[in-house]
């Protein structure tokens, strides 16, 4: 299991200060989302790598477009030198194949994950779009991603084990809505502790607020890494 820290602070300066405070930890991933990347772009990725070149970077862009446009964007992402990014599973099998084929020429291509169901959906709003329950569709999307050569999926910790059973133990699961030691769920619907995430074979717990809102993020990460 590898910790993925969500860099969701309101400015590049604050995100970089957080990263700086965690630079003694070699084995962690940093999640760069829409907000940070749209605002701070490629120089932000470079600044993170400068703080610790062993930080792994997950660019959370959730691509969704026609297959060729997604493949073009994936190639640009690979050129940024990030270690992992994601696309929406609902962009379909052809988009997945096209993206993976385009990246196959890169020696150290980034890992590619597919978003199954956004955690903000409840069952009703999800089925009004996808016509199925979240659990069933997430499994179906995961199988499709696995069959088309992706490396894993973004899903809820509660779906991680079933997804691995339907695909492979080595098919990665990256799961937000983790409250390591039972902290406040805030706006997340179904939160899981680290203990549960471990039981559910989660590969990447994504943790934001429980780290950056802590009075001592460095100490919090230490506790999380010990628990992992
Ligand atoms: O602060 P917290 O630990 O809840 O942050 C979770 C992170 O995971 C945020 O960056 C959020 O955007 C992201 N995320 C999520 N649910 C998804 C996909 C991403 O919470 N389905």
């Amino acid at each position: 299991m590898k910790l993925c820290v969500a860099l969701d602070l309101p400015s590049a300066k604050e995100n970089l200060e957080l990263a700086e405070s965690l630079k003694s930890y070699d084995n962690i991933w940093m999640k760069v989302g829409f907000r940070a990347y749209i605002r701070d772009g490629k120089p932000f990725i470079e600044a993170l790598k400068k703080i610790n070149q062993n930080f792994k970077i997950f660019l959370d862009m959730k691509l969704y477009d026609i297959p060729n446009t997604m493949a073009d964007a994936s190639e640009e992402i690979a050129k940024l030198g990030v270690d992992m990014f994601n696309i929406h599973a609902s962009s379909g099998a052809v988009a997945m194949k096209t993206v993976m084929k385009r990246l196959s020429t890169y020696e150290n291509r980034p890992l590619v994950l597919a978003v199954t169901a956004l955690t903000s959906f409840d069952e009703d709003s999800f089925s009004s779009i996808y016509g199925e329950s979240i659990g069933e569709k997430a499994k179906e999307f995961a199988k499709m991603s696995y069959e088309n050569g992706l490396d894993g999926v973004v899903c809820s910790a509660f779906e991680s084990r079933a997804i691995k059973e339907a695909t492979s133990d080595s098919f990665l699961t990256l799961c937000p809505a983790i409250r390591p030691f039972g902290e406040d769920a805030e706006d997340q619907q179904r939160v899981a502790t680290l203990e549960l995430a471990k039981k559910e074979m989660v590969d990447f717990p994504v943790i934001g607020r429980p780290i950056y809102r802590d009075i001592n993020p460095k100490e919090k990460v230490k506790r999380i890494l010990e628990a992992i």
Side-chain angles (χ1 to χ4, degrees):
M1 193 189 258
K2 298 267 191 278
L3 169 64
C4 185
V5 181
L7 298 177
D8 288 337
L9 286 157
S11 68
K13 184 171 172 281
E14 288 158 282
N15 279 331
L16 291 173
E17 277 167 8
L18 175 64
E20 186 73 38
S21 76
L22 305 179
K23 74 174 171 192
S24 56
Y25 305 116
D26 261 351
N27 211 5
I28 57 178
W29 286 67
M30 298 288 176
K31 182 174 94 72
V32 178
F34 276 161
R35 187 189 201 183
Y37 194 72
I38 289 169
R39 186 189 54 217
D40 308 317
K42 189 177 174 191
F44 180 66
I45 307 278
E46 291 164 350
L48 279 175
K49 286 277 186 188
K50 217 180 257 174
I51 290 173
N52 181 343
Q53 61 173 1
N54 295 318
F55 280 159
K56 300 274 190 193
I57 311 230
F58 166 40
L59 194 59
D60 185 13
M61 290 284 107
K62 300 187 181 71
L63 302 183
Y64 184 91
D65 209 308
I66 58 171
N68 183 62
T69 303
M70 285 177 61
D72 288 345
S74 302
E75 215 175 336
E76 296 303 333
I77 289 173
K79 287 182 199 159
L80 285 175
V82 303
D83 305 281
M84 179 158 73
F85 72 97
N86 55 0
I87 66 174
H88 268 286
S90 54
S91 58
V94 176
M96 290 178 181
K97 273 197 196 93
T98 313
V99 164
M100 297 316 288
K101 182 159 181 246
R102 188 75 73 82
L103 291 177
S104 65
T105 55
Y106 285 80
E107 226 170 85
N108 279 320
R109 71 158 176 84
L111 296 170
V112 186
L113 307 181
V115 178
T116 54
L118 294 172
T119 45
S120 52
F121 278 126
D122 61 18
E123 285 291 349
D124 284 347
S125 46
F126 185 85
S127 68
S128 75
I129 299 173
Y130 296 99
E132 267 178 84
S133 72
I134 295 176
E136 278 312 303
K137 196 72 197 178
K139 239 188 320 183
E140 211 176 281
F141 275 151
K143 272 197 224 163
M144 183 167 91
S145 310
Y146 179 65
E147 282 158 12
N148 288 292
L150 271 75
D151 303 292
V153 287
V154 182
C155 63
S156 146
F158 297 91
E159 285 137 22
S160 172
R161 180 177 285 272
I163 283 174
K164 284 184 182 270
E165 279 162 9
T167 57
S168 153
D169 279 0
S170 62
F171 192 59
L172 302 169
T173 57
L174 177 138
C175 306
I178 304 289
R179 294 296 175 259
F181 309 108
E183 296 86 341
D184 189 353
E186 304 197 49
D187 58 346
Q188 295 285 18
Q189 296 299 320
R190 293 188 302 156
V191 299
T193 59
L194 269 182
E195 202 184 334
L196 189 130
K198 259 201 224 169
K199 275 196 200 125
E200 298 301 317
M201 302 163 76
V202 169
D203 294 290
F204 294 97
V206 178
I207 308 176
R209 286 164 288 184
I211 292 174
Y212 65 73
R213 291 236 180 108
D214 196 280
I215 43 164
N216 189 342
K218 186 178 178 189
E219 190 55 35
K220 187 64 175 272
V221 166
K222 185 166 173 252
R223 274 182 69 205
I224 292 171
L225 292 176
E226 281 164 4
I228 284 175

